Amino acid sequence: QVQLVESGGGLVQAGGSLRLSCAASGSIFSIDALNWYRQAPGKQRDLVAAITSGGSTNYADSVKGRFTISRDNAKNTVYLQMNSLKPEDAAVYYCNALIRVAPQDYGMDYWGKGTLVTVSS
């Protein structure tokens, strides 16, 4: 019943910007960690950025200073602002969240279906 839906991907020139969004819906009691991963063709899925329920953030070294993760708890939404994009940032970007559906729930990992980011050189 819980769904994560990403949006905001597309084609951008190198040096450009995109803002990804991921909205969680369904029977949600609380959302703990919210993460963005990416997977390029033929490569493993890697963590790009993470944000805790308290707002602490963590970034992959390759995106530090260029990407910013944020969340709107009222909207159950996480964002990824991507600036100074490089061709190597091209990938399918996935939203991941640890969500509890009840107070006594330990929480489960949920994934979106991904949004494609293409960066032209």
Side-chain angles (χ1 to χ4, degrees):
Q1 290 182 334
V2 173
Q3 282 189 321
L4 298 179
V5 179
E6 302 99 335
S7 61
L11 172 64
V12 64
Q13 286 188 330
S17 298
L18 282 175
R19 188 192 194 207
L20 305 183
S21 300
C22 172
S25 63
S27 180
I28 296 171
F29 173 74
S30 66
I31 302 177
D32 296 334
L34 282 162
N35 310 302
W36 285 100
Y37 284 77
R38 67 185 181 189
Q39 187 169 20
K43 295 189 176 181
Q44 67 181 21
R45 189 174 298 188
D46 292 324
L47 179 66
V48 175
I51 186 166
T52 67
S53 57
S56 297
T57 59
N58 191 33
Y59 297 92
D61 288 342
S62 59
V63 306
K64 281 181 181 176
R66 300 187 297 120
F67 290 12
T68 302
I69 189 171
S70 60
R71 63 191 287 169
D72 184 333
N73 293 327
K75 296 181 179 180
N76 288 336
T77 299
V78 62
Y79 305 96
L80 186 67
Q81 178 67 44
M82 306 186 295
N83 299 328
S84 302
L85 282 160
K86 304 175 181 180
E88 52 263 42
D89 293 319
V92 177
Y93 283 71
Y94 296 92
C95 176
N96 165 251
L98 181 62
I99 296 176
R100 292 193 290 161
V101 298
Q104 69 276 17
D105 185 19
Y106 285 108
M108 278 185 59
D109 251 358
Y110 291 88
W111 290 86
K113 294 183 178 180
T115 185
L116 178 64
V117 172
T118 305
V119 183
S120 63
S121 56

